[in-house]
Amino acid sequence: MATQFNEKKQDERLHELRAREEEQLAQILSQKYGVDYTDLTSKAIDTDALRLIVEEDARRAEVAAFHKINKQIWIAMRAPERPESLQIITNIEKLGYTVRKFMVSLASLEHAWDRYHDISYATETEAGILTLSNETIQEMISKLKTLNDVKTEIASHAGSKDTHRISRVLEVVMAGALSLGASDVHMEPEEAGVRMRYRLDGVLVEVLMFDGPTYALISSRLKLLSGLKLNVKNAAQDGRFSIVIGGKEIEIRASVLPGAYAETIVMRILDPSTIGLPMEALGFDKYLMDIFHHEIAKPNGMILNTGPTGSGKTTTLYAFLSQVNEPGIKIVTIEDPIEYHLSGIVQTQVSKDYTFAQGLRSTLRQDPDVIMVGEIRDAEVASTAVHASLTGHLVFSTLHTNDAAGTFPRLIDMGVNADILGAAVTVAMAQRLVRRLCPNCRQSAVIEGENKKTMEILLNKIPHEDELPQNRDTMWLPKGCEKCGGIGYKGRIAVVEVILMDREIEECVRHTSSERDIWAAAKHQNIRRMAQDGAVKVLQGVTSLDELSRVVDLTDEVMLSTIAR
């Protein structure tokens, strides 16, 4: 019987042998070039990473970004020393990413390149990055000086079903937010339309109303950009995308909630330039600066910053970390999310499988000198953080309490033994953010009536009275001009109060959880209350009394009684 020759089977075997030889060659070359080797043909490709490189450039340079973790990118390549490949890596590193190189076969690259077909049709997006050219953004920033400018520009592009027009609407929305310094963009569907508001210096300001059809296209576009599911409309979703302006990446965190009329979208703008501030830029008075410089120089202890969400706690802790950051010190952070990338510091981000408690336990095994825990949320994190401060670590963290004195009863409520708080906690502080008066248009006014009574109470026997302005009868009011967008305020500054751990506070905390008693015990420290710190800034023309009263309760009985003592 004659043997049949199966040509198809033979071709498949030859193809398999060639593929195996190519993988072996790539593995050998990886050792020559000193990079890792991987086989992508059976691996899932991360499209968030893939989008970082335009398909045309990736094919020309024979590279592919296939994995992304926070700010680390894994890139597959056939020739690590090829000039086109090196240029692409340089461009990605300029965006703040750390690149890890892998040698791969052509089959691996083709497997990765095939995934470009799965990426959104949006031509303006690369890797979840909404790219705005320097020329475009500069043009928009020069045009969008006020809320009316933003409204007019959006109106000229809204009402169209063209995807490019919708992209331009989003570009104007985001460029306007960046130009005006907004921290959040809110889009809230109502019966008559969709309200869009910016949060400017902590206050929501209405911009305009979208019609329903335009908003439907905008929400779909935002979902695509943020990596969210288009067909899910009855559940909350969280995503992200980035805007690259002049080589600086600004991350946008998108939150979608189902509503009565349509989905509500809020975009949080994480601009590194507004977060990474030095201590000198935070507005602390000289005596506070001296306190903080002294306390953060200690080798161990715990510094806790308290206040509601959006009160600037993280910005202050970043400033402290920058102050202590030096080559001889190991600093590790556990954050949710990482809002600003600090050079020389190990930063980790919590997730479903990496909680604050797990992160803190793991961090202690990394031999750190300084630890920052984004927030103490439960008893386990509180206990571990306290014991870390007792075992030779300097710990920074935040709590949600109303004032500095509330730190101690809050920790006790979480199960921390009151007897060890004196040895663990070194500083308890609280802060709020008040809007700065625009220096170009603020107006002076005489302090009179109820305002005069309020200021007299706050300034009575105020600590460090010698640092106050000579004129205590004049305050300042907002007016509005082109430089502040007609609002009268531009930027924000912290009003702060501090309690230092000493023998009197330690003894008080052991016997009582009364905030009134803790404040009375701290009287000898000669540190201003938050309302007093704000009153000084009112006299200095930094903020207005109305703005201070919006943020701080100037009628609080506990605060007033401790000031009066």
Side-chain angles (χ1 to χ4, degrees):
M1 183 177 175
T3 304
Q4 277 189 321
F5 181 73
N6 191 329
E7 187 175 351
K8 183 179 178 182
K9 193 171 183 180
Q10 187 69 13
D11 287 343
E12 286 177 353
R13 181 177 292 180
L14 285 172
H15 178 75
E16 185 180 328
L17 286 172
R18 288 193 187 105
R20 193 180 302 165
E21 286 176 358
E22 189 181 0
E23 292 301 331
Q24 290 173 348
L25 178 61
Q27 197 165 7
I28 292 169
L29 288 174
S30 71
Q31 297 172 358
K32 174 186 175 183
Y33 287 109
V35 298
D36 294 318
Y37 160 80
T38 189
D39 180 0
L40 297 179
T41 55
S42 59
K43 291 184 179 179
I45 304 300
D46 183 351
T47 53
D48 273 349
L50 190 67
R51 289 174 180 150
L52 269 176
I53 307 171
V54 178
E55 182 178 1
E56 182 183 348
D57 294 341
R59 289 181 180 274
R60 185 177 64 251
E62 293 191 314
V63 299
F66 66 93
H67 189 57
K68 179 174 181 282
I69 304 177
N70 297 328
K71 299 297 286 188
Q72 187 178 66
I73 298 293
W74 293 6
I75 293 185
M77 49 181 49
R78 288 192 76 192
E81 295 183 352
R82 189 170 172 175
E84 295 94 330
S85 304
L86 294 174
Q87 184 59 52
I88 284 176
I89 289 175
T90 300
N91 293 340
I92 291 175
E93 288 176 336
K94 285 180 179 177
L95 297 177
Y97 291 101
T98 301
V99 174
R100 184 177 173 187
K101 294 183 283 189
F102 289 83
M103 177 73 75
V104 298
S105 65
L106 181 59
S108 285
L109 286 175
E110 287 175 341
H111 173 70
W113 294 337
D114 284 344
R115 290 301 309 276
Y116 276 109
H117 297 299
D118 300 333
I119 295 176
S120 161
Y121 64 86
T123 56
E124 295 86 351
T125 60
E126 302 163 11
I129 295 180
L130 178 62
T131 344
L132 297 176
S133 69
N134 289 334
E135 294 79 8
T136 303
I137 193 64
Q138 290 303 324
E139 177 187 346
M140 287 188 180
I141 287 175
S142 64
K143 289 173 64 176
L144 306 178
K145 295 295 186 183
T146 66
L147 291 171
N148 283 333
D149 294 339
V150 177
K151 182 175 181 178
T152 301
E153 188 69 23
I154 291 175
S156 67
H157 298 287
S160 170
K161 293 184 179 181
D162 178 50
T163 56
H164 291 290
R165 284 292 186 104
I166 295 302
S167 295
R168 180 48 62 92
V169 169
L170 281 176
E171 288 180 349
V172 175
V173 168
M174 301 314 301
L178 292 168
S179 176
L180 297 174
S183 60
D184 304 84
V185 180
H186 292 242
M187 295 185 180
E188 303 154 332
E190 300 176 356
E191 187 175 4
V194 180
R195 186 184 311 278
M196 190 187 88
R197 299 191 285 178
Y198 286 154
R199 187 173 290 280
L200 299 173
D201 295 326
V203 178
L204 281 171
V205 179
E206 185 170 338
V207 183
L208 81 166
M209 296 286 288
F210 283 116
D211 61 275
T214 298
Y215 179 67
L217 293 170
I218 289 174
S219 62
S220 296
R221 189 80 170 85
L222 278 171
K223 281 185 170 184
L224 284 169
L225 282 170
S226 307
L228 304 179
K229 295 178 180 177
L230 287 172
N231 60 337
V232 175
K233 297 183 182 296
N234 59 353
Q237 296 190 75
D238 295 307
R240 56 178 171 75
F241 63 96
S242 299
I243 297 175
V244 178
I245 302 170
K248 179 180 70 173
E249 183 179 354
I250 297 172
E251 188 169 350
I252 313 296
R253 302 268 173 161
S255 171
V256 179
L257 286 179
Y261 300 100
E263 292 171 301
T264 294
I265 297 176
V266 175
M267 292 177 282
R268 167 65 57 87
I269 301 170
L270 300 177
D271 185 350
S273 62
T274 64
I275 299 173
L277 300 174
M279 282 179 62
E280 292 74 18
L282 298 180
F284 298 142
D285 284 344
K286 182 182 179 301
Y287 79 96
L288 281 176
M289 287 290 287
D290 292 340
I291 288 173
F292 291 138
H293 278 301
H294 179 264
E295 296 300 327
I296 66 178
K298 293 180 178 178
N300 60 273
M302 179 182 286
I303 297 176
L304 293 172
N305 196 357
T306 72
T309 301
S311 59
K313 302 186 298 296
T314 302
T315 300
T316 298
L317 292 188
Y318 275 152
F320 290 167
L321 288 179
S322 297
Q323 189 71 27
V324 300
N325 186 16
E326 57 183 60
I329 293 178
K330 173 71 173 281
I331 303 175
V332 181
T333 73
I334 308 145
E335 306 174 56
D336 183 21
I338 297 173
E339 296 185 23
Y340 178 68
H341 295 273
L342 296 164
S343 177
I345 293 177
V346 177
Q347 294 175 268
T348 66
Q349 182 167 309
V350 301
S351 64
K352 185 172 68 174
D353 301 318
Y354 181 76
T355 64
F356 278 116
Q358 293 169 330
L360 186 51
R361 288 196 303 271
S362 300
T363 295
L364 290 171
R365 294 192 287 269
Q366 290 277 314
D367 187 30
D369 299 296
V370 179
I371 303 169
M372 188 188 92
V373 184
E375 183 183 342
I376 294 178
R377 295 179 177 175
D378 54 49
E380 186 178 2
V381 177
S383 175
T384 309
V386 164
H387 283 93
S389 74
L390 292 172
T391 54
H393 304 89
L394 180 60
V395 180
F396 297 105
S397 191
T398 70
L399 272 176
H400 284 286
T401 65
N402 288 327
D403 58 15
T407 301
F408 306 103
R410 179 79 178 113
L411 288 173
I412 294 170
D413 185 56
M414 286 183 172
V416 178
N417 190 333
D419 290 336
I420 67 173
L421 279 180
V425 179
T426 50
V427 178
M429 63 180 290
Q431 70 176 69
R432 302 288 189 275
L433 293 177
V434 294
R435 291 180 293 173
R436 288 177 179 266
L437 285 165
C438 175
N440 297 288
C441 64
R442 64 179 185 175
Q443 293 179 321
S444 62
V446 176
I447 304 176
E448 52 190 4
E450 289 299 317
N451 289 337
K452 190 172 184 64
K453 292 179 182 177
T454 300
M455 290 294 286
E456 284 176 350
I457 293 172
L458 296 178
L459 298 175
N460 181 40
K461 299 179 181 178
I462 186 171
H464 309 281
E465 189 172 1
D466 57 308
E467 298 178 11
L468 267 61
Q470 294 296 318
N471 184 1
R472 301 188 188 182
D473 298 320
T474 302
M475 62 180 183
W476 301 83
L477 303 174
K479 180 183 178 183
C481 66
E482 183 179 317
K483 291 193 175 181
C484 61
I487 297 174
Y489 296 95
K490 191 68 175 176
R492 289 190 289 177
I493 192 171
V495 287
V496 184
E497 62 187 20
V498 174
I499 293 179
L500 303 175
M501 181 58 72
D502 58 18
R503 185 176 299 174
E504 288 80 3
I505 299 298
E506 184 177 359
E507 191 67 25
C508 181
V509 169
R510 279 179 176 169
H511 295 93
T512 179
S513 59
S514 165
E515 293 181 23
R516 189 190 299 268
D517 291 342
I518 293 172
W519 278 119
K523 189 75 174 177
H524 70 282
Q525 293 181 356
N526 204 35
I527 301 174
R528 296 171 190 157
R529 293 293 307 272
M530 191 187 301
Q532 292 177 310
D533 188 37
V536 173
K537 289 177 169 62
V538 169
L539 290 180
Q540 293 170 339
V542 175
T543 192
S544 68
L545 188 57
D546 285 344
E547 174 64 11
L548 178 62
S549 62
R550 182 186 69 82
V551 174
V552 181
D553 184 4
L554 301 182
T555 64
D556 179 58
E557 291 184 9
V558 175
M559 183 268 294
L560 292 174
S561 66
T562 55
I563 287 176
R565 289 189 182 187

